[in-house]
């Protein structure tokens, strides 16, 4: 069941009923899932869309001469259209299905990066990037002779925009930046950054893994050249993701992977390639997953993205207030609820975040502990790891209250 839009605030209890896993009890407790930044839970409609793809019209896409193959193709291409609309991309052919954000960024690194970068060029990233927006650029820099430059963050966890201005020289050929930090929660001023990058002729890539699930993302208004996202963080299946690319740039790019589907003609002497997006979708794609992602988009749109954002903003403000009741906690990232997504990273004195997560698990509370694939940021924060809670449309103040109480008990238990 998809929740209709009849009220302003989110009817979280009813939304939860759409998520089978949230009916589970963990060691006698209600499951409280506060790790949606790692992966989101899936509503029944997404699970059913994927199951239906296997149960009713399982066939390969783009080549079937029979009804179920046509149905599979229509559902797969239908999902592409939904995602194009969701991101306000001008054309579904600018949407490439990938396994997730990591693969989307690697696609750009190996295709665009390898063919465009040369010695002396710079790739500008930021200090708050996830490893998946650092490592592909390092690998491609090694192959091309380009180098990495890094925009630092300020102590409040926002980007140092003055440093960005200084670093954004004509040498910079690509600016690759996260839309929302998966640790600090900071929402970066992407439109402004893309405009500045354009002024020096740089191409822009936005890591939207933590933004697309939560904000109303409009790639046309943002003015970015590439936008990467993970379907599994926005109610969709694992193995689903998207790279949006500006059509002219995609058309000029060489293929990423070679194989079936991405070709027009093949001889032993020469191969010509298919049009975009197929040029970048070699082999049999993740058909059922893409269809599931289409159902996730339907679900998010039916609930209303503005409403989800408003709910998460209020929840983040509430959580920040509740967590500040615990003086032993250090919270990383000080952007106000308006300028941050539903992610809060913290440490409780010298208790190891893994111990904290294990303690909370005894109460059915799932939180993340570790370096969050952001080791350079951990170094900047002068910590090895942090605990992290993150919210989505199925969380409410009760979840925060239970988590706050459990954190207070943890501090008692560990003698702090
Ligand atoms: N970027 C950010 C900001 C992320 O939070 C994540 C996932 N933790 C990724 C990239 C990578 O996404 P995926 O593992 O789905 O490819």
């Amino acid at each position: 069941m998809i929740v209709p839009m009849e009220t302003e605030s989110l009817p979280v209890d009813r939304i939860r009923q759409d998520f089978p896993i949230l009916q589970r009890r963990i060691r006698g407790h209600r499951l409280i899932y506060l790790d949606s930044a790692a992966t989101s839970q899936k509503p029944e409609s997404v699970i059913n869309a994927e199951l239906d793809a296997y149960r009713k019209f399982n066939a390969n896409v783009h080549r079937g001469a029979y009804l179920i193959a046509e149905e599979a193709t229509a559902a797969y291409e239908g999902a592409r259209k939904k995602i194009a609309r969701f991101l306000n991309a001008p054309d579904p052919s600018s949407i490439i299905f990938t396994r997730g954000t990591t693969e989307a960024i690697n696609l750009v690194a190996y295709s665009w990066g390898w063919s465009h970068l040369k010695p002396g060029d710079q790739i500008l990233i930021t200090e708050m990037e996830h490893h998946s927006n650092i490592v592909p650029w390092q690998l491609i820099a090694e192959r091309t002779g380009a180098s990495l430059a890094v925009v630092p963050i300020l102590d409040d966890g926002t980007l140092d925009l003055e440093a960005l201005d200084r670093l954004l020289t004509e040498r910079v050929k690509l600016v690759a930046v996260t839309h929302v930090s998966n640790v600090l929660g900071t929402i970066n001023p992407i439109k402004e950054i893309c405009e500045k990058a354009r002024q020096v002729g740089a191409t822009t890539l936005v890591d939207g893994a933590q933004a697309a699930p939560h904000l109303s993302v409009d790639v046309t208004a943002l003015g970015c050249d590439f936008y990467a996202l993970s379907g599994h963080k926005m109610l969709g299946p694992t193995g689903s993701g998207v790279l949006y690319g500006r059509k002219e740039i995609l058309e000029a790019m060489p293929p990423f992977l070679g194989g079936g589907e991405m070709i027009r003609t093949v001889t032993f002497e020469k191969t010509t390639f298919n049009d975009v997006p197929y040029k970048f979708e070699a082999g049999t794609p993740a058909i059922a997953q893409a269809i599931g992602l289409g159902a996730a988009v339907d679900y998010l749109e039916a609930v209303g993205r503005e409403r989800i954002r408003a709910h998460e903003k209020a929840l983040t403000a509430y959580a920040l207030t509740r967590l500040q009741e615990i003086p032993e906690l250090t919270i990383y990232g000080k952007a106000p609820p308006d300028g941050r997504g539903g992610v809060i990273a913290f440490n409780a004195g010298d208790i190891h975040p893994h111990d904290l997560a294990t303690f909370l698990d005894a109460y059915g509370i799932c939180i993340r502990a570790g370096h969050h694939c952001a080791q350079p940021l951990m170094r900047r924060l002068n910590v090895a790891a942090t605990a992290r809670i993150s919210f989505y449309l199925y969380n409410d103040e009760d979840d925060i209250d239970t988590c706050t109480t459990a954190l207070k008990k943890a501090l008692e238990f560990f003698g702090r």
Side-chain angles (χ1 to χ4, degrees), residues 332-355:
Y332 303 100
K334 296 190 173 43
D338 237 5
R340 64 187 295 154
V343 173
I344 304 174
F346 58 90
N347 271 319
D350 59 354
I351 304 172
H352 197 284
H354 283 132
D355 291 338

Side-chain angles (χ1 to χ4, degrees), residues 37-38 100-103 130 132 178 180 182 207 209-210 230 232-233:
T101 304
T102 305
E103 189 178 290
H130 186 279
S132 68
T178 193
V180 175
N182 67 319
D207 172 349
Q210 299 296 343
S230 297
H232 71 91
K233 293 185 201 284

Side-chain angles (χ1 to χ4, degrees), residues 50-70:
E50 202 175 347
L51 281 177
D52 279 355
Y54 289 121
R55 285 189 169 136
K56 298 183 180 161
F57 47 85
N58 179 51
N60 215 326
V61 289
H62 302 142
R63 55 183 90 139
Y66 45 86
L67 182 66
I68 59 168
E70 283 167 16

Side-chain angles (χ1 to χ4, degrees), residues 31-355:
L31 171 62
I32 297 181
Y33 190 72
L34 294 173
D35 198 18
S36 293
T39 196
S40 70
Q41 296 304 344
K42 325 297 173 198
E44 197 86 54
S45 61
V46 168
I47 298 167
N48 283 337
E50 202 175 347
L51 281 177
D52 279 355
Y54 289 121
R55 285 189 169 136
K56 298 183 180 161
F57 47 85
N58 179 51
N60 215 326
V61 289
H62 302 142
R63 55 183 90 139
Y66 45 86
L67 182 66
I68 59 168
E70 283 167 16
E71 288 173 355
T73 304
Y76 180 73
E77 291 304 326
R80 196 190 306 277
K81 285 187 193 131
K82 286 177 190 177
I83 291 153
R85 203 187 53 232
F86 186 75
L87 295 176
N88 195 30
D91 185 343
S93 62
S94 57
I95 300 297
I96 298 160
F97 284 119
T98 65
R99 276 193 305 128
T101 304
T102 305
E103 189 178 290
I105 296 174
N106 276 273
L107 191 164
V108 178
Y110 283 89
S111 171
W112 184 90
W114 209 340
S115 58
H116 281 72
L117 296 169
K118 52 184 193 322
D121 289 348
Q122 281 189 337
I123 304 158
L124 188 59
I125 61 171
T126 84
E127 205 171 16
M128 65 169 84
E129 297 309 313
H130 186 279
H131 295 164
S132 68
N133 203 24
I134 302 173
V135 183
W137 303 118
Q138 283 174 333
L139 294 172
I140 228 62
E142 271 172 28
R143 282 168 173 76
T144 58
S147 62
L148 242 59
V150 183
V151 181
I153 60 166
L154 300 170
D155 288 341
D156 67 358
T158 61
L159 274 186
D160 183 343
L161 294 173
E162 285 175 16
L164 173 92
D165 287 342
R166 276 196 305 278
L167 288 163
L168 203 48
T169 65
E170 306 261 312
R171 281 181 68 192
V172 174
K173 296 295 178 261
L174 179 83
V175 177
V177 57
T178 193
H179 196 164
V180 175
S181 161
N182 67 319
V183 176
L184 306 162
T186 316
I187 303 175
N188 288 319
I190 294 299
K191 191 168 180 213
E192 186 185 330
I193 294 172
C194 289
E195 241 166 62
K196 287 181 174 175
R198 233 186 345 269
Q199 280 163 20
V200 297
T203 298
T204 47
L205 176 138
V206 181
D207 172 349
Q210 299 296 343
H214 307 282
L215 309 177
S216 293
V217 172
D218 178 334
V219 290
T220 306
L222 289 175
C224 56
D225 295 310
F226 298 106
Y227 197 95
L229 63 86
S230 297
H232 71 91
K233 293 185 201 284
M234 47 181 274
L235 310 183
T238 49
S240 69
V242 165
L243 173 70
Y244 155 79
R246 259 200 317 116
K247 188 89 177 282
E248 317 82 86
I249 302 188
L250 290 176
E251 277 170 347
M253 276 160 55
F256 170 43
L257 302 175
E261 288 277 305
M262 50 76 73
I263 56 91
R264 192 179 304 287
T265 58
V266 180
T267 66
F268 286 120
E269 290 72 37
K270 186 170 170 56
T271 293
T272 58
F273 303 117
N274 207 337
D275 294 332
V276 294
Y278 311 112
K279 181 169 74 175
F280 295 108
E281 291 182 3
T284 301
I287 302 166
Q289 288 87 335
I291 294 168
L293 178 55
V297 164
D298 288 341
Y299 190 95
L300 291 170
E301 285 182 337
V303 176
R305 280 193 289 172
E306 296 297 336
R307 228 167 34 138
I308 295 171
R309 169 69 186 139
H311 173 75
E312 291 176 5
K313 202 154 66 172
L315 212 53
T316 306
Y318 181 73
L320 286 168
T321 312
R322 290 297 330 258
L323 293 180
Q324 276 154 10
E325 283 171 15
I326 310 175
E328 293 84 355
L329 289 200
T330 307
I331 295 173
Y332 303 100
K334 296 190 173 43
D338 237 5
R340 64 187 295 154
V343 173
I344 304 174
F346 58 90
N347 271 319
D350 59 354
I351 304 172
H352 197 284
H354 283 132
D355 291 338

